[in-house]
Amino acid sequence: MEHSEKAIEIIDLRLSYGVKEVIHGLTFDIYRHEIFGIIGPAQSGKTSLLRCLNRTIDFESSATVSGTIRVDGSDIRRTKDIYALRRKIGMVAPLPVGLPLSIYDNVAFAPRSSGLTKKADLDSIVERCLKQAALWEEVKDRLHTLGTALSGGQQQRLTIARALSHQPRILCLDEFSIAIDPVTTMRIEDVLKELRKEITIILVTNLTQQARRLADRTMFLWNGDCVELDSTEIIFSDRPANSKTYEYVNGIFG
Amino acid sequence: MPMTNNLDPAQRFTKTEFVVRKERIQSITKVLFAVMAISMIIPLLLIIGYLFYHALPSLSWEFLVEVPKKGMRDGGIWPAFVGTLYLVVISLAIAAPVGVFAAVYLNEYAKDNWFNRIIHLAVINLAGVPSIVHALFGLGAFVYAAEFGYSILSAALTLAIMTLPVIIASTREALASVPMPFREACWNVGASRWQTIRAVVVPNSISGILTGIILQVSRAAGETAPVMFTGAVFYKAVERGELFPYQLNEQCMALSMHLYTVATQVPNVKESIPYATAVVLLCSVLLVNAGAIALRVWLRNHKKW
Ligand SMILES: Nc1ncnc2c1ncn2[C@@H]1O[C@H](COP(=O)(O)OP(=O)(O)OP(=O)(O)O)[C@@H](O)[C@H]1O
Ligand SMILES: [Mg+2]
């Protein structure tokens, strides 16, 4: 695979909540059109890392970030339009959050808040995103019922549709399959493989096998440190560079 | 072979001594709590019954729309009723928007630093300041310092200051009850704070915000001291049934003040008049509160999560 262009560059990223540092200096790049897997036990800072990328960490008053993050070559701390940055990065949270709006409005929310008002445009965005999130068939007849009335798994796919609605260049999925059944998970994984032709995907997952199936490269994050970052074959092989990695992916972590 | 297998099936579930005792205790406590709950209502019913009983000779539509006559000893309460209406509407027209915007700022925008914590503390403490103190403040600030004189404006501003902290506190509570993940979901797709507030936060807390405001109606209508010190008068000549009898810079009559005067200041008042005044005050307040409850129920049924 050709790894020429960098979608994201992270240089010596540190993050602390109050006095507690939870990310201790990460430096790595994410290339365009790759699926970048991040695995690691609970509390290792995966979610926090994602929140640094789209700067929603700014809403956390106790958090202080240092280091440099470049998205498409430009430093996100110098960005003029923070909302455009957030639209460039789609974010899917681990727990499904259907906004208390109709299904249609849930998906149309992001395009609308960026100023799009034409009904026809919104209609086509809603349809495309719901199809990509493998939800269209189930909800196409009741687009104007409440998004919060969907089942947990459907709401999670609604979240994915919403994250795609602002046409992100980078899609971050934070343990997206917690609330979804295996069959639908597989369907979404197929969609992700399809999507990577157009965009870059960061996949945080507790299911190491999911990273193995999908990711081109995988990072093993542990307590805010990058233990190992390499191509997925090597991480999941019999002898990755670090023995901790082997223990973690094989479930003998202690 | 175990004993139980020999038992007649019907006997296996007979109540033991222990179960019987437990059930008895349970029924006794249930009765006890029910009695307490009912005894809470009895004083309320007694008050209402007592008021109506004594007010009956005066109660009529005439009493509401007629003006006081013969030095308050006869006639109705129209000027006081309209005066209270004026005071409540104007004070809430000031306090509600200011309070809601302040609460939105404090809950949605303010960072958690010492300055905002002090504001929060101040609001909570202001909500507990006795009304007579607000009355004195209103007298000093609006009547004298701002030179509004004894007027509806001064009285309404005083009531607004009095209700403001409570409105801020109740609105904040309503806003805080909207789950954080909703806001985060909006921020994640590039919505600004204001877009988030408008699309998700306020629509989902509106029932709490409105009930908080409406409950302040009864407070503004019932308080005597703040209006007595700043703008309510003993008597004001008004036409019978006139809808807009007052100017902002005039003084007005008010139900609470009127009740106080006819009950204690005027000799030889017809006995039913103070009671009838109280009934009108009570019923207006109960009506507004019932409206608040109905609104709440209606909005709750339309709640979206
Ligand atoms: N808002 C916060 N305030 C303070 N500390 C936080 C906050 N959010 C996360 N942390 C801390 O930061 C560390 C990393 O948390 P984070 O949620 O990023 O982990 P994670 O790898 O996503 O875990 P999980 O797999 O359980 O989702 C944890 O120790 C956590 O306690
Ligand atoms: Mg997490």
Side-chain angles (χ1 to χ4, degrees), chain A residues 1-3 31-36 132 164 169-171 188-202 213-217:
Chain A
M1 157 167 274
E2 193 62 42
H3 281 160
Y31 302 114
R32 229 177 264 291
H33 302 303
E34 77 171 337
I35 296 183
F36 187 86
Q132 282 181 330
L164 292 170
R169 304 303 305 145
I170 297 157
L171 180 65
I188 293 175
E189 286 184 12
D190 290 338
V191 173
L192 295 181
K193 284 179 204 153
E194 203 52 39
L195 273 173
R196 64 180 290 210
K197 288 175 196 151
E198 299 157 33
I199 66 180
T200 311
I201 295 172
I202 302 177
R213 282 195 297 271
L214 293 172
D216 301 301
R217 291 188 308 148

Side-chain angles (χ1 to χ4, degrees), chain B residues 13-88:
Chain B
F13 301 104
T14 49
K15 291 172 182 170
T16 63
E17 183 76 5
F18 178 71
V19 171
V20 171
R21 214 176 59 217
K22 211 163 106 181
E23 281 185 352
R24 193 179 306 135
I25 291 175
Q26 201 170 5
S27 53
I28 288 174
T29 39
K30 206 154 98 188
V31 170
L32 215 65
F33 281 121
V35 167
M36 283 182 190
I38 292 167
S39 63
M40 295 282 291
I41 304 173
I42 288 173
L44 182 69
L45 291 179
L46 279 179
I47 290 173
I48 294 176
Y50 179 78
L51 281 181
F52 267 93
Y53 175 74
H54 285 279
L56 214 54
S58 282
L59 277 188
S60 65
W61 178 250
E62 274 306 297
F63 181 72
L64 184 65
V65 296
E66 189 54 270
V67 297
K69 287 174 184 157
K70 297 182 193 153
M72 314 287 225
R73 293 188 185 85
D74 202 358
I77 51 159
W78 183 250
F81 184 72
V82 178
T84 291
L85 223 60
Y86 262 66
L87 292 173
V88 168

Side-chain angles (χ1 to χ4, degrees), chain A residues 11-217:
Chain A
I11 301 162
D12 196 30
L13 176 73
R14 287 171 189 274
L15 167 70
S16 22
Y17 291 110
V19 292
K20 194 177 77 167
E21 192 174 84
V22 298
I23 294 178
H24 318 288
L26 288 178
T27 302
F28 63 96
D29 298 329
I30 296 171
Y31 302 114
R32 229 177 264 291
H33 302 303
E34 77 171 337
I35 296 183
F36 187 86
I38 301 178
I39 57 173
Q43 307 277 290
S44 51
K46 307 181 293 295
T47 303
S48 305
L49 173 61
L50 293 187
R51 295 187 67 193
C52 291
L53 294 183
N54 72 351
R55 279 189 47 188
T56 45
I57 197 78
D58 293 2
F59 291 111
E60 203 69 59
S61 56
S62 67
T64 42
V65 187
S66 72
T68 309
I69 300 177
R70 292 201 194 93
V71 173
D72 284 342
S74 61
D75 191 330
I76 62 165
R77 267 198 288 182
R78 302 237 173 71
T79 183
K80 283 191 216 79
D81 188 351
I82 181 75
Y83 307 116
L85 171 74
R86 294 206 181 115
R87 283 195 289 273
K88 197 184 263 184
I89 301 177
M91 189 67 72
V92 177
L95 289 177
V97 183
L99 292 174
L101 305 168
S102 74
I103 295 172
Y104 185 96
D105 290 341
N106 258 281
V107 184
F109 179 74
R112 275 192 189 132
S113 46
S114 67
L116 196 69
T117 47
K118 269 232 246 53
K119 175 98 170 52
D121 294 349
L122 289 174
D123 284 350
S124 74
I125 289 177
V126 169
E127 180 171 349
R128 175 179 57 81
C129 295
L130 285 173
K131 274 182 178 156
Q132 282 181 330
L135 188 60
W136 176 251
E137 288 304 318
E138 289 158 57
V139 300
K140 66 180 175 199
D141 301 321
R142 48 176 178 135
L143 286 177
H144 293 282
T145 60
L146 276 181
T148 35
L150 294 172
S151 77
Q154 287 174 323
Q155 281 193 48
Q156 183 63 310
R157 281 177 280 153
L158 184 62
T159 318
I160 295 175
R162 198 170 58 218
L164 292 170
S165 67
H166 41 91
Q167 290 170 308
R169 304 303 305 145
I170 297 157
L171 180 65
C172 303
L173 297 147
D174 192 354
E175 299 171 20
F176 76 93
S177 54
I178 291 183
I180 309 185
D181 67 280
V183 178
T184 316
T185 303
M186 286 304 168
R187 273 167 67 200
I188 293 175
E189 286 184 12
D190 290 338
V191 173
L192 295 181
K193 284 179 204 153
E194 203 52 39
L195 273 173
R196 64 180 290 210
K197 288 175 196 151
E198 299 157 33
I199 66 180
T200 311
I201 295 172
I202 302 177
L203 179 73
V204 168
T205 177
N206 276 339
L207 309 170
T208 51
Q209 291 312 309
Q210 191 170 52
R212 185 177 202 166
R213 282 195 297 271
L214 293 172
D216 301 301
R217 291 188 308 148

Side-chain angles (χ1 to χ4, degrees), chain A residues 39-41 208-209 218-222 225-254:
Chain A
I39 57 173
T208 51
Q209 291 312 309
T218 299
M219 178 165 82
F220 174 37
L221 196 64
W222 184 51
D225 281 310
C226 170
V227 175
E228 192 168 349
L229 165 59
D230 215 323
S231 78
T232 301
E233 290 104 83
I234 296 180
I235 295 282
F236 288 91
S237 70
D238 286 341
R239 35 186 79 262
N242 196 310
S243 62
K244 279 211 199 92
T245 312
Y246 180 79
E247 288 167 20
Y248 180 71
V249 300
N250 290 290
I252 43 178
F253 203 67

